[in-house]
Amino acid sequence: MISLRLIFLFLIISFSASAQKDYKLWLQYDKIANTDLRTKYLSDIQGIVSLGNSETAVTSSKELENGLTEMLGTKITVKSKLDQASSIIIGSESSLNSEIQKASEIDFNQINDEGFIIKSISIKNKKHILISGKKDVGVLYGIYSFLRLIQTNKSIQNLDIIDSPKTNIRILNHWDNLDRTVERGYAGFSLWNWQKLPDFIDQRYIDYARANASIGINGTVLTNVNANALILTPQYLEKVEALAKVFRPYGIKVYLTARFSAPIEIGGLKTADPKDAAIANWWKAKAKEIYTIIPDFGGFLVKANSEGQPGPQNYGRDHVDGANMLADAVAPFGGIIMWRAFVYSEHDANDRAKQAYAEFQPYDGKFKENVIVQVKNGAIDFQPREPFHPLFGATPKTPLMMEFQITQEYLGFSTHLVYLPKLFQEVLESDTYQKGKGSTVAKVVDGTLYKNKITGIAGVANIGNDINWTGHPFAQANWYGFGRLAWNPYLDSEIIADEWLRSTFCNDENFIRPVKEMMINSREAVVNYMTPLGLHHIMDTGHHYGPGPWVSNLSRPEWNPVYYHKADKNGIGFDRSKTGTNAVAQYAPEAAKIFDNLETCPEKDLLWFHHVPWDYKLKDGHNLWDGMALKYQEGVNQVKAMQETWNKIEKYVDSQRFKEVQMLLNIQYKEAKWWRDACLLYFQQYSGKELPIGVEKPTQSLEYFQSLKFPFAPGN
Ligand code: GCV
């Protein structure tokens, strides 16, 4: 009996240790396995000298103390004065005494207000490492960067690191509703427990802030863009204030979504017309009310006249009128307006891919200085692959911020392992040619192309209250990678994967090498088994879970997959060339020329821009039908290879995360085959051709796949 109890206790303890691993994200701070290395680090790190005393400075030194103590396996203590021990000295420019300043010879002009410098220095013949910045928040970022060096087992000799974020606003967009459901959320319910706020501060809020600060995220929009005006009432604002207070020491500002009709819904007014003085005054008063309790409130994110949301067009006004009215309200307090360009209308017969550009490009130069237009990475909607949005680079006088989707609405939810930084990097590296060759999307976004004052990158969060935050253990890498790329849009996603794996799992090369490769290939795998060769938006209706290329009965034409693939006896694909909808003309002439010509259009985007005959010869010699079928099969094979990789690394991973990923990969494999079979059976009706050798025969009929229903698919 006793032994049974002991076994039970042991199981509980080991389960909670594993669960903690899941929860701790990339901030595991595991004790360094290599003892020689640990001893080496210990000779350079005998203490911490913390010079600041602001909330952020205290937070930083605690994080450093905890991180180092855990990784070095010895208590590393914090002192306020330098002594004879080799120390990590932390403090902002103004806190450094003349002795440290002289020894470091730091030129603070090399960094911006959020940047940091990590430098090996010598004082009285003793080696120290200085982590500094113009402001305390820079020091905080420097500390996380230093901890990452140790986490990834890098040398800390002769350090001279100078780094600043390349964008101003690095922000998560939570599509969280006030009832705690999350639109397109696949990791449980919302983190924000509105009912218990403001008095109950969940430890999660603090750990959320730590995780974000560690990757440089400095803003969070707490609420869904499909907004509820109640968030702007005093009852909710005091809850928002409580969250802002938790996030402040971590350099994170709080933003809210503004429902355009709020003056009617919570203000008792008869209209929300932006040209009506009473409405403008209502927003001014609302802004003042918010800033009185949250002085560093960031501003509003707005989805207006998009998918049924209210907006200025309800009153015969335009997006400029709406955005500028709100901009005036927050301007006195230093706030900004992030106005989304995700618009398309059922009343517009134009190609949906053209509508946002057509509407927003002519507004260039008309927005107030504190407005930034938020544009999705592609012109349709967060597909596994889309060519970059034509608005990037097309508005020299209007800053644009990137909107990526970290949550995997169209990429297998949180059941599929897809490493998204690969997708993000592909978009950021794309050449818009708007100011000649080399005018990449990254240069638009970081403001270097047109010298914009405000710059930013937003990511639609994949975070919920699941123990592991993101549903899939590897989806944590997408949150991490988003933050790293928002900090520096030129980073290489493979390096980010390396960092993340080492910080989250271990430094053993036998683990890192194969698992990194698995992550890197995972993005192309999902494109292959869902939407190869430029296919897009062929997911099932509403929830977007699984294939639905046959769907044709929705009220709005552009909600139907048949609108996007246009398969018929002659071929497949959306003709956006000069002879089709001429969407290519929205790009700079050089890019337009590349996309317009069948010969030069990258094959990965082929069916995005062209309707191509089934017999069209692809670059590898296959005809289109065979090539497409082989791509679907390749995607399935890639998932199988991912399973094989994972099954070999069991000894490097705790059993819980090992099993979770193993089960999820099994689901992904099943679903990759589902995608392949359903799509090929459906398109085969049009191609009229046999499956080529090498492609497995479907085990179910098309009718079977068409009959599948998912009434409670999450996130919908
Ligand atoms: C928040 C897509 C999603 C919607 C989302 C919308 C948007 O259409 O399916 O859930 O709404 O994008 O980005 O506004």
Side-chain angles (χ1 to χ4, degrees):
M1 191 60 193
I2 289 177
S3 62
L4 260 182
R5 250 191 228 153
L6 275 176
I7 291 170
F8 185 61
L9 199 69
F10 172 77
L11 283 176
I12 290 186
I13 291 171
S14 52
F15 174 78
S16 59
S18 279
Q20 262 184 32
K21 286 209 151 288
D22 245 1
Y23 178 84
K24 282 163 87 177
L25 298 161
W26 47 89
L27 301 174
Q28 303 282 329
Y29 299 146
D30 283 336
K31 188 167 166 187
I32 291 160
N34 178 334
T35 32
D36 289 348
L37 186 64
R38 190 149 33 94
T39 315
K40 245 195 205 161
Y41 283 146
L42 271 170
S43 73
D44 292 324
I45 306 174
Q46 290 158 19
I48 297 168
V49 176
S50 176
L51 303 172
N53 49 22
S54 70
E55 263 192 306
T56 300
V58 173
T59 302
S60 305
S61 85
K62 246 197 229 141
E63 189 74 26
L64 188 62
E65 180 187 358
N66 291 344
L68 290 178
T69 298
E70 285 185 43
M71 288 192 283
L72 302 180
T74 304
K75 178 82 188 150
I76 303 291
T77 44
V78 182
K79 304 165 280 185
S80 57
K81 280 215 180 92
L82 211 54
D83 55 21
Q84 266 316 294
S86 284
S87 300
I88 313 294
I89 307 169
I90 56 174
S92 64
E93 183 178 6
S94 61
S95 71
L96 306 183
N97 65 29
S98 55
E99 188 182 35
I100 301 173
Q101 273 187 8
K102 207 166 146 216
S104 65
E105 294 177 326
I106 289 180
D107 173 6
F108 282 94
N109 292 324
Q110 299 172 96
I111 53 174
N112 64 28
D113 277 359
E114 292 178 294
F116 61 83
I117 291 174
I118 307 177
K119 196 164 178 190
S120 300
I121 61 170
S122 172
I123 298 176
K124 296 195 181 109
N125 283 332
K126 200 85 213 153
K127 288 195 305 179
H128 302 283
I129 294 170
L130 174 65
I131 305 179
S132 192
K134 278 189 184 165
K135 300 259 162 74
D136 284 331
V137 73
V139 182
L140 177 70
Y141 293 141
I143 277 162
Y144 280 115
S145 178
F146 180 74
L147 285 167
R148 194 177 300 131
L149 289 178
I150 311 274
Q151 283 180 293
T152 55
N153 291 186
K154 300 279 176 338
S155 162
I156 54 166
Q157 299 300 311
N158 306 318
L159 292 175
D160 192 6
I161 301 173
I162 302 170
D163 199 4
S164 292
K166 293 192 187 299
T167 57
N168 315 133
I169 306 160
R170 307 177 298 278
I171 195 166
L172 289 178
N173 287 183
H174 287 269
W175 286 357
D176 292 17
N177 299 314
L178 299 185
D179 64 3
R180 297 193 73 183
T181 56
V182 180
E183 184 156 350
R184 310 310 176 183
Y186 313 106
F189 287 93
S190 169
L191 292 184
W192 325 130
N193 191 334
W194 297 112
Q195 185 251 325
K196 285 187 175 164
L197 279 164
D199 300 314
F200 185 86
I201 300 300
D202 194 323
Q203 177 63 31
R204 278 261 177 159
Y205 306 151
I206 300 161
D207 290 328
Y208 166 85
R210 287 177 59 231
N212 280 325
S214 75
I215 48 176
I217 288 175
N218 67 356
T220 177
V221 186
L222 300 174
T223 45
N224 193 352
V225 287
N226 290 332
N228 187 325
L230 283 180
I231 193 67
L232 303 176
T233 59
Q235 185 190 5
Y236 276 92
L237 286 176
E238 69 166 351
K239 299 169 193 283
V240 174
E241 180 197 4
L243 289 173
K245 211 162 154 192
V246 175
F247 302 157
R248 191 166 294 124
Y250 293 90
I252 299 168
K253 281 187 184 180
V254 157
Y255 298 72
L256 293 173
T257 45
R259 185 161 165 88
F260 206 77
S261 49
I264 304 173
E265 286 155 16
I266 59 167
L269 297 172
K270 293 229 154 44
T271 172
D273 182 350
K275 292 276 191 191
D276 184 324
I279 298 307
N281 287 336
W282 186 87
W283 282 107
K284 280 184 182 153
K286 186 48 77 185
K288 192 165 173 203
E289 180 190 341
I290 296 176
Y291 280 95
T292 308
I293 57 169
I294 310 170
D296 56 352
F297 178 69
F300 294 122
L301 168 65
V302 189
K303 171 174 176 177
N305 296 121
S306 157
E307 299 187 330
Q309 290 300 300
Q313 291 172 347
N314 299 33
Y315 308 96
R317 317 295 181 190
D318 63 23
H319 287 282
V320 176
D321 300 326
N324 287 350
M325 184 266 300
L326 287 175
D328 282 342
V330 294
F333 313 97
I336 61 148
I337 301 300
M338 295 168 287
W339 192 270
R340 295 177 90 225
F342 178 63
V343 294
Y344 62 99
S345 158
E346 75 263 46
H347 307 299
D348 188 342
N350 250 318
D351 176 2
R352 171 174 167 186
K354 290 170 67 179
Q355 296 183 25
Y357 176 102
E359 187 152 358
F360 273 79
Q361 202 287 327
Y363 296 143
D364 186 25
K366 299 201 170 133
F367 290 102
K368 298 260 165 148
E369 271 209 338
N370 57 335
V371 175
I372 184 163
V373 175
Q374 186 167 309
V375 181
K376 291 190 181 185
N377 60 271
I380 297 292
D381 199 8
F382 300 136
Q383 297 302 295
R385 170 166 280 131
E386 290 186 51
F388 68 91
H389 200 300
L391 270 171
F392 287 111
T395 61
K397 293 186 232 124
T398 304
L400 299 188
M401 69 190 278
M402 170 65 74
E403 179 175 321
F404 284 129
Q405 195 182 44
I406 314 173
T407 191
Q408 293 169 233
E409 174 180 355
Y410 296 95
L411 289 98
F413 296 2
S414 59
T415 22
H416 292 207
L417 190 163
V418 184
Y419 178 60
L420 292 176
K422 202 68 189 150
L423 182 165
F424 302 158
Q425 184 182 353
E426 178 178 289
V427 176
L428 290 164
E429 280 175 355
S430 300
D431 199 340
T432 70
Y433 291 93
Q434 291 285 2
K435 253 181 99 182
K437 195 167 165 47
S439 307
T440 59
V441 172
K443 286 188 187 166
V444 177
V445 168
D446 78 356
T448 51
L449 196 67
Y450 297 123
K451 310 269 170 288
N452 305 115
K453 276 209 208 118
I454 330 178
T455 59
I457 303 197
V460 180
N462 62 347
I463 305 163
N465 68 354
D466 274 7
I467 291 180
N468 72 2
W469 302 83
T470 55
H472 196 307
F474 275 76
Q476 296 176 357
N478 295 336
W479 174 9
Y480 180 89
F482 164 77
R484 300 285 288 130
L485 281 165
W487 177 276
N488 180 354
Y490 302 93
L491 282 181
D492 185 337
S493 59
E494 300 199 14
I495 291 175
I496 298 174
D498 192 275
E499 273 175 20
W500 178 79
L501 280 170
R502 289 173 195 275
S503 311
T504 309
F505 289 100
C506 67
N507 275 284
D508 197 313
E509 293 300 333
N510 296 316
F511 171 81
I512 299 292
R513 224 178 310 109
V515 179
K516 187 164 62 182
E517 196 185 320
M518 170 179 93
M519 289 171 75
I520 299 307
N521 294 334
S522 63
R523 190 293 179 105
E524 210 54 43
V526 75
V527 171
N528 287 338
Y529 65 72
M530 285 189 185
T531 52
L533 297 169
L535 283 174
H536 51 285
H537 218 305
I538 55 172
M539 292 75 194
D540 202 358
T541 302
H543 48 64
H544 302 145
Y545 173 59
W550 45 80
V551 176
S552 61
N553 59 353
L554 303 179
S555 57
R556 289 177 65 159
E558 76 286 5
W559 281 352
N560 291 298
V562 294
Y563 171 91
Y564 297 98
H565 63 69
K566 302 204 185 303
D568 58 22
K569 294 269 176 249
N570 301 322
I572 181 169
F574 200 128
D575 186 1
R576 297 192 165 105
S577 72
K578 270 197 291 229
T579 52
T581 65
N582 202 19
V584 290
Q586 292 183 335
Y587 290 97
E590 293 89 332
K593 205 168 146 202
I594 295 171
F595 293 140
D596 187 56
N597 183 339
L598 251 184
E599 295 299 311
T600 55
C601 179
E603 255 174 21
K604 62 183 170 63
D605 298 320
L606 190 66
L607 306 179
W608 183 283
F609 287 113
H610 298 276
H611 190 77
V612 182
W614 293 110
D615 280 325
Y616 175 79
K617 204 157 171 209
L618 295 170
K619 300 218 160 66
D620 65 3
H622 287 112
N623 68 38
L624 176 65
W625 167 252
D626 285 358
M628 189 169 119
L630 287 164
K631 279 276 174 211
Y632 272 106
Q633 181 65 46
E634 189 184 336
V636 172
N637 297 347
Q638 284 168 307
V639 180
K640 192 162 184 52
M642 286 159 71
Q643 287 179 299
E644 284 161 7
T645 299
W646 191 251
N647 288 338
K648 283 191 209 136
I649 53 80
E650 182 165 7
K651 65 175 178 207
Y652 305 105
V653 188
D654 53 286
S655 62
Q656 187 178 340
R657 285 189 296 180
F658 176 76
K659 278 193 207 116
E660 279 173 3
V661 175
Q662 190 180 47
M663 290 186 288
L664 289 163
L665 283 170
N666 291 345
I667 300 176
Q668 188 171 358
Y669 183 55
K670 261 205 272 185
E671 296 190 352
K673 289 193 285 185
W674 168 31
W675 266 95
R676 176 199 63 197
D677 294 349
C679 292
L680 289 179
L681 282 170
Y682 171 75
F683 291 134
Q684 196 171 33
Q685 302 178 108
Y686 299 101
S687 78
K689 292 177 186 294
E690 290 298 314
L691 288 177
I693 294 168
V695 178
E696 285 160 11
K697 300 266 170 301
T699 51
Q700 300 282 356
S701 66
L702 178 59
E703 292 68 37
Y704 165 79
F705 292 118
Q706 288 175 320
S707 74
L708 298 176
K709 294 276 171 291
F710 305 95
F712 300 112
N716 194 19

